[in-house]
Every structure is written in C-alpha cells, then in structure tokens.
Amino acid sequence: MCEISIIVPVYNVEKYLKKCVDSILNQTFKDFELILVDDGSPDSSGAICDQYAEKDSRVKVIHKKNGGLSDARNAGIEVAKGKYLGFIDSDDYIAEDMYELLHNNIVRENADLSICGIYDVYQERQAIKKERIKRTVTSLEAMVLIFEGNNISVHAVNKLYKRKVFSGIRYPMGKYHEDSFIIVEILDKCKTVVIDSIQKYYYVHRAESINTEKFSNRQFDFIEAWELNENKVLGRSRKLDIAAHQRVCFANFLVLDKIIKNNVSDEVTETKKIISYLRRNYFFILKNHVFTTKRKISMTLLMFSLHLYKILSRIQNK
C-alpha cells in the first residue's frame, strides 16, 4: 500500500518519456507508486519503461495492446494501490514539489480532489504566468470554475483524487477530450475540492503536432462532451447554467477555429451548424464575462460573414 498511485499512459514518446519520468521520480513527496502503461508503443518507449522499473522499485510497468489514452488510464486505475490517484501525460513534466503541494492540500482540507495550475509550454513562446487563486470550495463551485476555464482547467493531469472518486467511473473509450466527458461525474463524487492554482504542471505543446495536426471528425467530441455536461447540470444553479452554456459556446469556437486553421471550412458539413449556433448566441457571448474582447470582436465579424471571421482568426494565429 502506498499513499499515491501516479498513472502515466505511454505511447510512442521515446523522445520525451525520460524527462517526464525523471520529473516524477524526483518529487519531494516520496510515498508513491508510478504505473507506466505501455499502450502497445511501436518505438522504444516500452523498453525505456522496463529500464526504469529495474532501477526504481516504485515503478510498475503494464504492457498492453494499443487501446488509446482512456484504455491506458483505465488499466492503470485497475491495478493502482494508492489512497490517492494522479495522472500525468508522458510527453509532459511536473515541478518537483507538485505532488507535495497537492497532497498537503488534500489532507489539510480533508478534500476529495486537489487541483493546481498548468503552464502551457510552447517551443517559441514564453509560458504565461496566470493569477494565483487559493480556495476550498464545494463541488458545485468547482464546476463553475472548471466550466469557465480561466484559472482551473478540466484536464485530468493537474489533480490529485481520492481513489474512491473513481469508484464506478472510467474514462470513455474512443473519445477525444476524454477528460471533459467525465468531469461532472467526478465532481459529483466530491464534497470538498481544494484549489491552489499555482502552476506546477508543464503541458508541452509540441511544435510538430501543432503544425501538422489535421482536422478530423474527432474534434466534434469536444462539442458533444460539453453539450452533455450542460444537460447534466441544467437547473442546479443559475451561475452554473451560465457557465455550462458559455463552455458549449467556447467548444463551438474551438472547433470552428480548427476547421479554419486547416482550411477545410467548405468541406466540413457541420461548419454551417456551428456558425448558426454561435450567431443564435451572439448576445449571450457579448454579455458573458469569460469571453475576451478579441473573441467578442471576432464574433461580431462572424455575424456579418465567415470570411471576415477567417481574416481576423488568421491574423491572431500569426
């Protein structure tokens, strides 16, 4: 038995895996097991996992047939022995005191979930330091903050969960943005959530994946997830209703921007549906405090034409 089980799905990341694993093994908090789930990697990632297991008794390795991120996380959950669960993506890395911070907070507040902040790391762009907030909140208050997404993200990876939170909950197979699909169920299992948004998790946006990612229908899973979430929470509170609807609008913006970035707006039949949805919500978007001034300007241009929206979107991307 250990205090924390840290689960890392591993697939085709031989260039990044060592930095990730080293950042975990060098944690100031020591009482953990590290479960590396080799999800049928075609490169040397699986062998690297085995090398770490030989050197450090805290490392456990699962080799399995490729099933995707959700399947790999679920496999780790099944064998985890810790009182608490944490997840790390294998091409990211963490500050040496991340789990000490998360664990201290969850124990001190007797919380079910502990959350810290994320640095978005880009190759040619300095990471943005965000405002730090420290709060202990109810699950409903946490939902509002996560739905709004300004300081606290939906990601699985910057969190420490009481193991019982995942009783009866697993990541959905075959879905993109899998974290978004189960966030409501997770928070419904929590009475108390402790938040310290100091940025301790380094989310690496790889230049090659950013520049070469092609648009696919999987992107629509993001809209689906937040539409489902809106229906799950509808009527719980006015503040949450607004936050949930804002997130659906944001999901539509995100997918539309990816369609435009890949120059496939005329080929994707759902483009008109997204534009129609956003136009119907024009005044809601303009009044909502979460959307930036730039976003509201681009939405105003979209009311006139997609062409004008594209021009501004491409300028902003540059």
Side-chain angles (χ1 to χ4, degrees):
M1 188 76 174
C2 59
E3 191 72 358
I4 299 175
S5 295
I6 303 170
I7 298 165
V8 180
V10 175
Y11 182 76
N12 212 23
V13 285
E14 60 185 9
K15 290 197 297 185
Y16 313 99
L17 184 57
K18 289 184 179 180
K19 184 170 186 176
C20 173
V21 175
D22 287 343
S23 75
I24 298 169
L25 295 179
N26 291 329
Q27 288 292 290
T28 53
F29 185 89
K30 302 296 184 186
D31 186 12
F32 64 84
E33 63 174 354
L34 172 56
I35 303 170
L36 300 175
V37 185
D38 170 27
D39 192 34
S41 293
D43 64 359
S44 63
S45 296
I48 294 171
C49 291
D50 290 335
Q51 290 166 14
Y52 275 104
E54 290 173 6
K55 293 187 291 185
D56 194 317
S57 61
R58 294 175 295 175
V59 180
K60 312 291 189 297
V61 182
I62 299 172
H63 296 285
K64 59 179 286 297
K65 183 180 178 182
N66 179 252
L69 179 61
S70 289
D71 193 42
R73 282 183 183 165
N74 293 340
I77 293 169
E78 293 298 330
V79 302
K81 294 181 171 60
K83 182 178 178 182
Y84 302 97
L85 298 181
F87 301 93
I88 306 291
D89 286 345
S90 54
D91 48 358
D92 298 333
Y93 57 97
I94 58 177
E96 64 177 6
D97 60 345
M98 187 181 95
Y99 278 109
E100 182 178 4
L101 173 85
L102 291 172
H103 185 263
N104 285 347
N105 287 347
I106 204 169
V107 171
R108 185 186 67 249
E109 301 296 329
N110 190 25
D112 302 293
L113 174 61
S114 180
I115 306 174
C116 69
I118 293 178
Y119 270 119
D120 286 295
V121 180
Y122 296 90
Q123 192 172 11
E124 297 178 354
R125 195 188 313 170
Q126 189 168 354
I128 297 173
K129 192 171 184 179
K130 297 182 179 179
E131 176 191 1
R132 184 177 182 180
I133 63 169
K134 297 174 74 173
R135 282 185 217 168
T136 300
V137 298
T138 66
S139 62
L140 191 145
E141 290 169 322
M143 278 187 203
V144 172
L145 289 169
I146 289 173
F147 278 40
E148 288 181 345
N150 279 343
N151 288 293
I152 306 302
S153 75
V154 70
H155 298 94
V157 292
N158 60 328
K159 299 174 175 64
L160 185 65
Y161 312 78
K162 273 188 179 175
R163 185 175 169 181
K164 67 178 185 179
V165 167
F166 276 90
S167 174
I169 297 176
R170 292 295 183 269
Y171 286 96
M173 298 287 288
K175 289 294 185 182
Y176 202 43
H177 298 286
E178 56 287 315
D179 302 343
S180 305
F181 278 91
I182 64 168
I183 190 61
V184 172
E185 284 76 9
I186 284 174
L187 291 171
D188 277 342
K189 290 280 192 81
C190 300
K191 289 184 179 178
T192 304
V193 178
V194 57
I195 298 167
D196 183 345
S197 70
I198 186 169
Q199 291 155 285
K200 296 292 183 181
Y201 189 95
Y202 293 84
Y203 189 127
V204 180
H205 299 261
R206 301 203 304 260
E208 62 269 28
S209 62
I210 294 165
N211 294 331
T212 61
E213 183 186 18
K214 300 298 182 185
F215 183 83
S216 75
N217 287 332
R218 293 202 313 156
Q219 305 286 349
F220 294 111
D221 287 355
F222 194 56
I223 296 175
E224 179 190 353
W226 290 105
E227 286 178 341
L228 288 171
N229 287 336
E230 183 177 26
N231 289 329
K232 290 172 190 174
V233 304
L234 195 61
R236 296 192 189 186
S237 81
R238 174 158 175 76
K239 198 169 184 180
L240 183 56
D241 285 349
I242 292 170
H245 193 63
Q246 169 264 320
R247 194 59 181 240
V248 177
C249 292
F250 174 78
N252 278 270
F253 274 128
L254 183 73
V255 175
L256 179 60
D257 289 347
K258 289 189 176 184
I259 290 170
I260 290 169
K261 187 176 181 181
N262 283 269
N263 293 312
V264 291
S265 56
D266 294 333
E267 302 166 29
V268 179
T269 56
E270 287 84 355
T271 303
K272 289 182 179 179
K273 182 180 176 183
I274 292 172
I275 294 169
S276 176
Y277 179 86
L278 291 171
R279 284 174 173 168
R280 290 197 308 273
N281 285 279
Y282 175 63
F283 290 107
F284 173 86
I285 292 164
L286 252 58
K287 292 175 185 177
N288 190 272
H289 72 281
V290 174
F291 290 112
T292 64
T293 301
K294 284 182 180 179
R295 180 59 74 184
K296 291 173 182 179
I297 291 170
S298 65
M299 181 64 237
T300 301
L301 293 177
L302 185 62
M303 294 298 289
F304 290 97
S305 75
L306 177 60
H307 178 67
L308 290 173
Y309 182 89
K310 283 180 182 179
I311 292 171
L312 184 59
S313 176
R314 284 166 182 159
I315 290 171
Q316 289 174 349
N317 281 335
K318 286 179 181 178

